[in-house]
Amino acid sequence: ALKRCPEDRSDFRATLLHTMGTAQFKRGELGEAAVMFDEGMQLARRPGQQLSLVISFLIGKGQLSCARADIRNGLSLLMEALRKAERGQLVASQVDALEALTKAHQQAGDAKMATYYAAQHAALVQKLGIERSKLQVRVSKVEPVVADLRAQWLTKLRLA
C-alpha cells in the first residue's frame, strides 16, 4: 500500500504509516514501528495536516518509548499528546492518550498513577457516552478508502 501511495499525498501516506507502525508495534517489531512512526511524524508535522494525526503519532512514539523501557521519555510524549488533544478538543485522542498513560504507568510499576489515569479514561468515556469501538477511525478528512483500510487493520489487530 505504501508503494502505491503517491508521494504528494502526505496525509494519505502518514495515515498508512501510522496504521502499519501500530501493527508492527503490536507484533513486537519495535524497530520497524519506530522507522514508520518517524517517517509518518515528519509527514504529519507538515503545515496543513490534522492535529489528530500528529497526536496519534505522539501517542504511538510514547508507547514505543515505554515498550523500550525509556519510561520517562515515553511518559513525556504521552503527556504532550494528552495536552494537545485537550487543547484541540479531540476526544478520541484524549481517550487514546489516557489509555496509553494507564498502560505505561502499569509497566513502570506505578499503580497509583495507573489507577488515576484509568479512572480519568473511564470517566471521559462514560461522560461522553462513547463506545470504544466507535473511536477507532480518527482521521476524518482522509478519503473513505484510507479510513476503511485503517478500520480493517485495527479490527485485525483486535482479533490477533
Side-chain angles (χ1 to χ4, degrees), residues 27-52:
R27 291 172 52 192
E29 297 175 7
L30 304 184
E32 290 292 319
V35 169
M36 290 181 184
F37 284 155
D38 287 340
E39 182 183 344
M41 180 64 100
Q42 289 175 359
L43 294 173
R45 287 195 184 272
R46 287 183 180 173
Q49 296 299 323
Q50 293 181 20
L51 180 59
S52 61

PDB file of all heavy atoms in Angstrom, residues 27-52:
ATOM      1  N   ARG A  27       2.872  -6.332  17.035  1.00  0.00           N
ATOM      2  CA  ARG A  27       3.538  -7.603  16.764  1.00  0.00           C
ATOM      3  C   ARG A  27       4.876  -7.708  17.477  1.00  0.00           C
ATOM      4  O   ARG A  27       5.552  -8.729  17.402  1.00  0.00           O
ATOM      5  CB  ARG A  27       3.731  -7.776  15.265  1.00  0.00           C
ATOM      6  CG  ARG A  27       2.408  -7.988  14.541  1.00  0.00           C
ATOM      7  CD  ARG A  27       2.510  -7.965  13.055  1.00  0.00           C
ATOM      8  NE  ARG A  27       3.526  -8.863  12.541  1.00  0.00           N
ATOM      9  CZ  ARG A  27       3.956  -8.840  11.294  1.00  0.00           C
ATOM     10  NH1 ARG A  27       3.460  -7.970  10.445  1.00  0.00           N
ATOM     11  NH2 ARG A  27       4.871  -9.674  10.891  1.00  0.00           N
ATOM     12  N   GLY A  28       5.293  -6.631  18.142  1.00  0.00           N
ATOM     13  CA  GLY A  28       6.546  -6.643  18.888  1.00  0.00           C
ATOM     14  C   GLY A  28       7.755  -6.277  18.056  1.00  0.00           C
ATOM     15  O   GLY A  28       8.891  -6.405  18.512  1.00  0.00           O
ATOM     16  N   GLU A  29       7.556  -5.806  16.839  1.00  0.00           N
ATOM     17  CA  GLU A  29       8.655  -5.409  15.968  1.00  0.00           C
ATOM     18  C   GLU A  29       8.902  -3.913  16.154  1.00  0.00           C
ATOM     19  O   GLU A  29       8.510  -3.079  15.334  1.00  0.00           O
ATOM     20  CB  GLU A  29       8.326  -5.772  14.525  1.00  0.00           C
ATOM     21  CG  GLU A  29       8.171  -7.277  14.338  1.00  0.00           C
ATOM     22  CD  GLU A  29       7.732  -7.681  12.949  1.00  0.00           C
ATOM     23  OE1 GLU A  29       7.662  -6.810  12.044  1.00  0.00           O
ATOM     24  OE2 GLU A  29       7.456  -8.874  12.760  1.00  0.00           O
ATOM     25  N   LEU A  30       9.580  -3.587  17.266  1.00  0.00           N
ATOM     26  CA  LEU A  30       9.738  -2.197  17.677  1.00  0.00           C
ATOM     27  C   LEU A  30      10.604  -1.386  16.720  1.00  0.00           C
ATOM     28  O   LEU A  30      10.350  -0.200  16.504  1.00  0.00           O
ATOM     29  CB  LEU A  30      10.301  -2.130  19.097  1.00  0.00           C
ATOM     30  CG  LEU A  30       9.493  -2.875  20.170  1.00  0.00           C
ATOM     31  CD1 LEU A  30      10.114  -2.653  21.534  1.00  0.00           C
ATOM     32  CD2 LEU A  30       8.043  -2.462  20.158  1.00  0.00           C
ATOM     33  N   GLY A  31      11.631  -2.002  16.149  1.00  0.00           N
ATOM     34  CA  GLY A  31      12.494  -1.281  15.200  1.00  0.00           C
ATOM     35  C   GLY A  31      11.730  -0.832  13.965  1.00  0.00           C
ATOM     36  O   GLY A  31      11.843   0.314  13.532  1.00  0.00           O
ATOM     37  N   GLU A  32      10.950  -1.746  13.395  1.00  0.00           N
ATOM     38  CA  GLU A  32      10.135  -1.411  12.221  1.00  0.00           C
ATOM     39  C   GLU A  32       9.098  -0.343  12.568  1.00  0.00           C
ATOM     40  O   GLU A  32       8.853   0.577  11.795  1.00  0.00           O
ATOM     41  CB  GLU A  32       9.432  -2.658  11.681  1.00  0.00           C
ATOM     42  CG  GLU A  32      10.362  -3.650  11.027  1.00  0.00           C
ATOM     43  CD  GLU A  32      10.946  -3.122   9.733  1.00  0.00           C
ATOM     44  OE1 GLU A  32      10.213  -2.484   8.961  1.00  0.00           O
ATOM     45  OE2 GLU A  32      12.144  -3.343   9.515  1.00  0.00           O
ATOM     46  N   ALA A  33       8.489  -0.479  13.731  1.00  0.00           N
ATOM     47  CA  ALA A  33       7.488   0.505  14.168  1.00  0.00           C
ATOM     48  C   ALA A  33       8.115   1.887  14.301  1.00  0.00           C
ATOM     49  O   ALA A  33       7.534   2.889  13.877  1.00  0.00           O
ATOM     50  CB  ALA A  33       6.849   0.068  15.481  1.00  0.00           C
ATOM     51  N   ALA A  34       9.322   1.945  14.872  1.00  0.00           N
ATOM     52  CA  ALA A  34       9.996   3.232  15.063  1.00  0.00           C
ATOM     53  C   ALA A  34      10.275   3.907  13.727  1.00  0.00           C
ATOM     54  O   ALA A  34      10.070   5.118  13.579  1.00  0.00           O
ATOM     55  CB  ALA A  34      11.302   3.031  15.830  1.00  0.00           C
ATOM     56  N   VAL A  35      10.716   3.137  12.742  1.00  0.00           N
ATOM     57  CA  VAL A  35      11.000   3.702  11.418  1.00  0.00           C
ATOM     58  C   VAL A  35       9.724   4.289  10.812  1.00  0.00           C
ATOM     59  O   VAL A  35       9.725   5.399  10.285  1.00  0.00           O
ATOM     60  CB  VAL A  35      11.605   2.618  10.492  1.00  0.00           C
ATOM     61  CG1 VAL A  35      11.657   3.095   9.045  1.00  0.00           C
ATOM     62  CG2 VAL A  35      12.988   2.223  10.980  1.00  0.00           C
ATOM     63  N   MET A  36       8.627   3.537  10.894  1.00  0.00           N
ATOM     64  CA  MET A  36       7.366   4.007  10.323  1.00  0.00           C
ATOM     65  C   MET A  36       6.826   5.217  11.076  1.00  0.00           C
ATOM     66  O   MET A  36       6.331   6.161  10.463  1.00  0.00           O
ATOM     67  CB  MET A  36       6.350   2.867  10.303  1.00  0.00           C
ATOM     68  CG  MET A  36       6.720   1.808   9.303  1.00  0.00           C
ATOM     69  SD  MET A  36       5.528   0.486   9.240  1.00  0.00           S
ATOM     70  CE  MET A  36       6.324  -0.601   8.083  1.00  0.00           C
ATOM     71  N   PHE A  37       6.922   5.208  12.416  1.00  0.00           N
ATOM     72  CA  PHE A  37       6.456   6.347  13.196  1.00  0.00           C
ATOM     73  C   PHE A  37       7.289   7.592  12.891  1.00  0.00           C
ATOM     74  O   PHE A  37       6.755   8.696  12.791  1.00  0.00           O
ATOM     75  CB  PHE A  37       6.494   6.051  14.689  1.00  0.00           C
ATOM     76  CG  PHE A  37       5.381   5.167  15.180  1.00  0.00           C
ATOM     77  CD1 PHE A  37       5.540   4.406  16.315  1.00  0.00           C
ATOM     78  CD2 PHE A  37       4.171   5.083  14.513  1.00  0.00           C
ATOM     79  CE1 PHE A  37       4.520   3.592  16.783  1.00  0.00           C
ATOM     80  CE2 PHE A  37       3.139   4.266  14.964  1.00  0.00           C
ATOM     81  CZ  PHE A  37       3.323   3.523  16.109  1.00  0.00           C
ATOM     82  N   ASP A  38       8.615   7.430  12.742  1.00  0.00           N
ATOM     83  CA  ASP A  38       9.469   8.590  12.460  1.00  0.00           C
ATOM     84  C   ASP A  38       9.133   9.204  11.101  1.00  0.00           C
ATOM     85  O   ASP A  38       8.994  10.425  10.982  1.00  0.00           O
ATOM     86  CB  ASP A  38      10.947   8.190  12.508  1.00  0.00           C
ATOM     87  CG  ASP A  38      11.437   7.942  13.920  1.00  0.00           C
ATOM     88  OD1 ASP A  38      10.788   8.425  14.871  1.00  0.00           O
ATOM     89  OD2 ASP A  38      12.466   7.261  14.083  1.00  0.00           O
ATOM     90  N   GLU A  39       9.002   8.357  10.075  1.00  0.00           N
ATOM     91  CA  GLU A  39       8.672   8.873   8.745  1.00  0.00           C
ATOM     92  C   GLU A  39       7.283   9.520   8.751  1.00  0.00           C
ATOM     93  O   GLU A  39       7.082  10.597   8.199  1.00  0.00           O
ATOM     94  CB  GLU A  39       8.710   7.757   7.700  1.00  0.00           C
ATOM     95  CG  GLU A  39       8.431   8.255   6.298  1.00  0.00           C
ATOM     96  CD  GLU A  39       8.392   7.161   5.236  1.00  0.00           C
ATOM     97  OE1 GLU A  39       8.870   6.048   5.510  1.00  0.00           O
ATOM     98  OE2 GLU A  39       7.866   7.434   4.143  1.00  0.00           O
ATOM     99  N   GLY A  40       6.333   8.858   9.404  1.00  0.00           N
ATOM    100  CA  GLY A  40       4.974   9.392   9.467  1.00  0.00           C
ATOM    101  C   GLY A  40       4.895  10.698  10.233  1.00  0.00           C
ATOM    102  O   GLY A  40       4.158  11.610   9.852  1.00  0.00           O
ATOM    103  N   MET A  41       5.667  10.807  11.312  1.00  0.00           N
ATOM    104  CA  MET A  41       5.664  12.033  12.115  1.00  0.00           C
ATOM    105  C   MET A  41       6.181  13.205  11.295  1.00  0.00           C
ATOM    106  O   MET A  41       5.643  14.318  11.382  1.00  0.00           O
ATOM    107  CB  MET A  41       6.514  11.854  13.373  1.00  0.00           C
ATOM    108  CG  MET A  41       6.543  13.088  14.249  1.00  0.00           C
ATOM    109  SD  MET A  41       4.932  13.502  14.914  1.00  0.00           S
ATOM    110  CE  MET A  41       5.098  12.839  16.537  1.00  0.00           C
ATOM    111  N   GLN A  42       7.199  12.978  10.472  1.00  0.00           N
ATOM    112  CA  GLN A  42       7.698  14.047   9.615  1.00  0.00           C
ATOM    113  C   GLN A  42       6.614  14.532   8.652  1.00  0.00           C
ATOM    114  O   GLN A  42       6.449  15.723   8.437  1.00  0.00           O
ATOM    115  CB  GLN A  42       8.921  13.567   8.828  1.00  0.00           C
ATOM    116  CG  GLN A  42      10.142  13.387   9.672  1.00  0.00           C
ATOM    117  CD  GLN A  42      11.307  12.803   8.884  1.00  0.00           C
ATOM    118  OE1 GLN A  42      11.192  12.514   7.704  1.00  0.00           O
ATOM    119  NE2 GLN A  42      12.432  12.630   9.553  1.00  0.00           N
ATOM    120  N   LEU A  43       5.868  13.593   8.092  1.00  0.00           N
ATOM    121  CA  LEU A  43       4.779  13.964   7.189  1.00  0.00           C
ATOM    122  C   LEU A  43       3.644  14.663   7.939  1.00  0.00           C
ATOM    123  O   LEU A  43       3.068  15.631   7.460  1.00  0.00           O
ATOM    124  CB  LEU A  43       4.238  12.725   6.478  1.00  0.00           C
ATOM    125  CG  LEU A  43       5.190  12.026   5.512  1.00  0.00           C
ATOM    126  CD1 LEU A  43       4.573  10.721   5.020  1.00  0.00           C
ATOM    127  CD2 LEU A  43       5.530  12.924   4.346  1.00  0.00           C
ATOM    128  N   ALA A  44       3.315  14.151   9.125  1.00  0.00           N
ATOM    129  CA  ALA A  44       2.195  14.696   9.897  1.00  0.00           C
ATOM    130  C   ALA A  44       2.480  16.109  10.405  1.00  0.00           C
ATOM    131  O   ALA A  44       1.547  16.882  10.623  1.00  0.00           O
ATOM    132  CB  ALA A  44       1.877  13.781  11.068  1.00  0.00           C
ATOM    133  N   ARG A  45       3.734  16.453  10.584  1.00  0.00           N
ATOM    134  CA  ARG A  45       4.088  17.780  11.095  1.00  0.00           C
ATOM    135  C   ARG A  45       4.120  18.856  10.006  1.00  0.00           C
ATOM    136  O   ARG A  45       4.320  20.022  10.300  1.00  0.00           O
ATOM    137  CB  ARG A  45       5.429  17.737  11.819  1.00  0.00           C
ATOM    138  CG  ARG A  45       5.354  17.046  13.159  1.00  0.00           C
ATOM    139  CD  ARG A  45       6.589  17.343  13.975  1.00  0.00           C
ATOM    140  NE  ARG A  45       6.614  16.641  15.227  1.00  0.00           N
ATOM    141  CZ  ARG A  45       6.078  17.093  16.357  1.00  0.00           C
ATOM    142  NH1 ARG A  45       5.458  18.247  16.366  1.00  0.00           N
ATOM    143  NH2 ARG A  45       6.165  16.393  17.466  1.00  0.00           N
ATOM    144  N   ARG A  46       3.905  18.466   8.769  1.00  0.00           N
ATOM    145  CA  ARG A  46       3.870  19.460   7.694  1.00  0.00           C
ATOM    146  C   ARG A  46       2.677  20.387   7.882  1.00  0.00           C
ATOM    147  O   ARG A  46       1.639  19.977   8.410  1.00  0.00           O
ATOM    148  CB  ARG A  46       3.764  18.770   6.336  1.00  0.00           C
ATOM    149  CG  ARG A  46       5.029  18.090   5.909  1.00  0.00           C
ATOM    150  CD  ARG A  46       4.882  17.495   4.533  1.00  0.00           C
ATOM    151  NE  ARG A  46       6.113  16.837   4.124  1.00  0.00           N
ATOM    152  CZ  ARG A  46       6.223  16.124   3.031  1.00  0.00           C
ATOM    153  NH1 ARG A  46       5.187  15.958   2.223  1.00  0.00           N
ATOM    154  NH2 ARG A  46       7.366  15.559   2.731  1.00  0.00           N
ATOM    155  N   PRO A  47       2.795  21.625   7.430  1.00  0.00           N
ATOM    156  CA  PRO A  47       1.674  22.573   7.562  1.00  0.00           C
ATOM    157  C   PRO A  47       0.415  22.031   6.878  1.00  0.00           C
ATOM    158  O   PRO A  47       0.486  21.408   5.829  1.00  0.00           O
ATOM    159  CB  PRO A  47       2.173  23.825   6.851  1.00  0.00           C
ATOM    160  CG  PRO A  47       3.660  23.718   6.871  1.00  0.00           C
ATOM    161  CD  PRO A  47       3.975  22.248   6.823  1.00  0.00           C
ATOM    162  N   GLY A  48      -0.712  22.257   7.519  1.00  0.00           N
ATOM    163  CA  GLY A  48      -1.991  21.868   6.945  1.00  0.00           C
ATOM    164  C   GLY A  48      -2.459  20.481   7.322  1.00  0.00           C
ATOM    165  O   GLY A  48      -3.558  20.073   6.962  1.00  0.00           O
ATOM    166  N   GLN A  49      -1.644  19.739   8.073  1.00  0.00           N
ATOM    167  CA  GLN A  49      -2.056  18.392   8.475  1.00  0.00           C
ATOM    168  C   GLN A  49      -2.971  18.474   9.698  1.00  0.00           C
ATOM    169  O   GLN A  49      -2.962  19.447  10.439  1.00  0.00           O
ATOM    170  CB  GLN A  49      -0.838  17.520   8.796  1.00  0.00           C
ATOM    171  CG  GLN A  49       0.061  17.278   7.607  1.00  0.00           C
ATOM    172  CD  GLN A  49      -0.652  16.550   6.482  1.00  0.00           C
ATOM    173  OE1 GLN A  49      -1.462  15.672   6.721  1.00  0.00           O
ATOM    174  NE2 GLN A  49      -0.376  16.946   5.261  1.00  0.00           N
ATOM    175  N   GLN A  50      -3.725  17.431   9.897  1.00  0.00           N
ATOM    176  CA  GLN A  50      -4.662  17.401  11.014  1.00  0.00           C
ATOM    177  C   GLN A  50      -3.934  17.195  12.334  1.00  0.00           C
ATOM    178  O   GLN A  50      -3.020  16.373  12.420  1.00  0.00           O
ATOM    179  CB  GLN A  50      -5.654  16.261  10.840  1.00  0.00           C
ATOM    180  CG  GLN A  50      -6.577  16.442   9.676  1.00  0.00           C
ATOM    181  CD  GLN A  50      -7.545  15.294   9.589  1.00  0.00           C
ATOM    182  OE1 GLN A  50      -7.763  14.586  10.552  1.00  0.00           O
ATOM    183  NE2 GLN A  50      -8.128  15.113   8.434  1.00  0.00           N
ATOM    184  N   LEU A  51      -4.364  17.930  13.348  1.00  0.00           N
ATOM    185  CA  LEU A  51      -3.780  17.798  14.676  1.00  0.00           C
ATOM    186  C   LEU A  51      -3.965  16.386  15.211  1.00  0.00           C
ATOM    187  O   LEU A  51      -3.079  15.843  15.864  1.00  0.00           O
ATOM    188  CB  LEU A  51      -4.413  18.819  15.630  1.00  0.00           C
ATOM    189  CG  LEU A  51      -3.908  18.817  17.067  1.00  0.00           C
ATOM    190  CD1 LEU A  51      -2.407  19.092  17.111  1.00  0.00           C
ATOM    191  CD2 LEU A  51      -4.661  19.844  17.889  1.00  0.00           C
ATOM    192  N   SER A  52      -5.086  15.760  14.906  1.00  0.00           N
ATOM    193  CA  SER A  52      -5.332  14.407  15.414  1.00  0.00           C
ATOM    194  C   SER A  52      -4.308  13.410  14.896  1.00  0.00           C
ATOM    195  O   SER A  52      -3.931  12.471  15.595  1.00  0.00           O
ATOM    196  CB  SER A  52      -6.748  13.935  15.056  1.00  0.00           C
ATOM    197  OG  SER A  52      -6.916  13.896  13.653  1.00  0.00           O
TER     198      SER A  52
END
